[in-house]
Amino acid sequence: MANIQRHFDNLAFNHAARAAVTESSYNDQVKRPGIMPAAPFHQNFEQMQAYTLDLLHRQVIGDSLNFAGSVMNNVHLFLALLKGNGTNPQVDPEVQRQVQQEQQEFVRAQLDQKFDRLEKNFGVVCPLEDTITSMGLAMQALMQQNGMVGEAQLDESGELAFELQAPRDGQAVTSPQIPKDAIEPLAKVYRNGDRIFFSDTELPLIFVTVAIFADNLFGSVARYRRDLQSGCLLY
């Protein structure tokens, strides 16, 4: 979680820098080295504002997807070891070999396949699965379609939908841990031809959403262990 907080803080720093920068200060920095690597391609202040915002979207969504994928990989490893080894405190070498093979396959799997395997093999259902999947589709649009939503990113309802996790009723959350009753979903919906855009308030909520996704997923490991120990395991 420390990693996702650093990304959140870095985004806040970038937002503050964007709000404070002026055209004259930007031009001063451009001129400071006394030379440009490719002057004909120099971008003016307005162009750089748009480029920086686009870059922030790519970084935030890309970093969030990497974090979500890493969490899923770790959770799968824990669950596979629990399922293969049961309550035995010593890991059987054959179980370890099998788990390593399954883990390699899981790491290589696409995002939707990871969700399917967690549910099929361990009964783990991720409440924010659709939003994490939408992040992957939004990244696809940013990288391949200049940020424009196309048919490939739409669901059966013709939408690319997000449920960002936000403070309930706009009330700031001051506790170190995020209480579940302090959060409510904030819907963000795109349709064919829309440009991917999150406001300066919405963009940080992507990190908050991924953090809550990770917390829920890690909680599934504890539940799986508890069910295993009580003999109530169904998978």
Side-chain angles (χ1 to χ4, degrees), residues 4-55:
I4 202 74
Q5 181 63 43
R6 280 193 294 271
H7 284 290
F8 178 95
D9 294 341
N10 183 63
L11 175 61
F13 186 88
N14 274 286
H15 281 330
R18 283 178 48 244
V21 69
T22 63
E23 185 171 2
S24 62
S25 64
Y26 167 69
N27 289 333
D28 288 344
Q29 292 299 319
V30 169
K31 297 173 183 176
R32 177 165 295 190
I35 189 173
M36 295 186 192
F41 301 99
H42 166 66
Q43 292 189 313
N44 63 33
F45 181 66
E46 288 76 16
Q47 290 171 321
M48 280 308 301
Q49 284 181 310
Y51 173 78
T52 300
L53 188 57
D54 177 71
L55 188 61

Side-chain angles (χ1 to χ4, degrees), residues 110-126:
Q110 297 296 315
L111 192 63
D112 58 337
Q113 295 173 335
K114 292 180 189 288
F115 284 119
D116 289 343
R117 292 188 184 193
L118 287 176
E119 182 174 2
K120 178 181 178 180
N121 297 333
F122 309 103
V124 173
V125 178
C126 307

